Amino acid sequence: AAGVIQSPRHLIKEKRETATLKCYPIPRHDTVYWYQQGPGQDPQFLISFYEKMQSDKGSIPDRFSAQQFSDYHSELNMSSLELGDSALYFCASSLGGAGNTIYFGEGSWLTVV
Amino acid sequence: GEDVEQSLFLSVREGDSSVINCTYTDSSSTYLYWYKQEPGAGLQLLTYIFSNMDMKQDQRLTVLLNKKDKHLSLRIADTQTGDSAIYFCAESFSGYSTLTFGKGTMLLVSP
């Protein structure tokens, strides 16, 4: 079965650079979530979208932005990167209003040097 | 993870049963999940339970929910070395709400 696809899987950036992560949800899923997991930490919710509109907002820094496109894929844009942004970024998807079972992608490893 | 608490570490021998415990504080949680994360890998949904259920069994996995005590447990029968991983408990509400994770329990299975 198709899963949540994230790209790139690994990314190395320098401080103050910009990075973009992409997420392709499970087909027919209309809700996308972004989570950040620091080393040894639990995943922290950043932001979510339902039907291309922002549905919820968590601890996403102002330097970050995200959107969901007409084909339901989503992109997380991170600017002015800091060392503390180094983390595993998960995208997850669900079919909103139908049991809320949330499936995660494999994650994108971002290392800021 | 401040609303969801888990013990940090559990060590068992291969073939034994493992029980991973989780407590949550928000009584309005509707869905409770267990995710597995192997080193360097993503989050794998193992199972979930709705708050109107007391128990759910799926092959080697049994989830027990005590709503009165806000306690959730995951029992893994006949634990194998491949079960060694971090197990996260998570809660959410109905609709499009997000997940709140516990800190995770590291399960170490020795031969």
Side-chain angles (χ1 to χ4, degrees):
Chain A
V4 178
I5 306 297
Q6 292 188 244
S7 68
R9 292 297 314 281
H10 300 272
L11 190 61
I12 300 175
K13 289 286 186 178
E14 295 188 355
K15 284 192 302 183
R16 293 179 288 278
E17 284 193 318
T18 298
T20 298
L21 305 181
K22 296 185 178 183
C23 169
Y24 296 86
I26 292 172
R28 292 185 295 279
H29 280 193
D30 50 17
T31 307
V32 170
Y33 312 79
W34 285 98
Y35 285 80
Q36 178 192 57
Q37 185 180 27
Q41 301 295 313
D42 56 298
Q44 295 292 316
F45 170 68
L46 294 178
I47 195 167
S48 64
F49 294 87
Y50 167 69
E51 284 291 346
K52 293 151 279 185
M53 299 285 288
Q54 181 180 310
S55 55
D56 201 0
K57 191 173 181 179
S59 53
I60 184 169
D62 292 340
R63 299 177 289 108
F64 292 9
S65 65
Q67 58 180 327
Q68 185 180 30
F69 296 85
S70 57
D71 64 351
Y72 294 100
H73 95 272
S74 178
E75 294 183 5
L76 177 65
N77 299 294
M78 300 174 284
S79 61
S80 302
L81 287 169
E82 302 173 356
L83 295 178
D85 296 328
S86 295
L88 181 58
Y89 289 84
F90 285 110
C91 175
S93 74
S94 69
L95 184 57
N100 202 36
T101 306
I102 300 174
Y103 295 91
F104 283 77
E106 290 290 306
S108 292
W109 283 98
L110 171 65
T111 302
V112 182
V113 297
Chain B
E2 61 190 43
D3 296 325
V4 181
E5 294 189 1
Q6 301 178 236
S7 52
L8 294 182
F9 185 76
L10 176 65
S11 178
V12 301
R13 299 185 69 87
E14 193 173 21
D16 289 348
S17 292
S18 306
V19 179
I20 302 172
N21 295 302
C22 169
T23 57
Y24 58 98
T25 57
D26 198 328
S27 58
S28 57
S29 295
T30 308
Y31 300 86
L32 294 143
Y33 301 81
W34 285 103
Y35 284 89
K36 175 184 179 183
Q37 187 176 34
E38 298 183 39
L43 290 165
Q44 176 191 353
L45 175 64
L46 287 178
T47 187
Y48 61 94
I49 190 169
F50 300 127
S51 59
N52 62 356
M53 298 169 64
D54 297 322
M55 186 183 85
K56 181 177 181 181
Q57 188 157 2
D58 184 2
Q59 299 181 337
R60 293 190 297 124
L61 305 179
T62 303
V63 178
L64 295 177
L65 175 60
N66 182 328
K67 291 184 286 294
K68 174 177 172 292
D69 295 337
K70 299 188 183 68
H71 182 265
L72 181 74
S73 68
L74 174 68
R75 179 178 181 271
I76 305 173
D78 187 25
T79 314
Q80 303 296 306
T81 54
D83 294 325
S84 293
I86 297 176
Y87 290 79
F88 288 98
C89 167
E91 63 173 355
S92 75
F93 313 101
S94 61
Y96 321 117
S97 64
T98 59
L99 295 172
T100 299
F101 286 86
K103 293 293 185 187
T105 299
M106 179 178 288
L107 173 64
L108 180 63
V109 183
S110 55

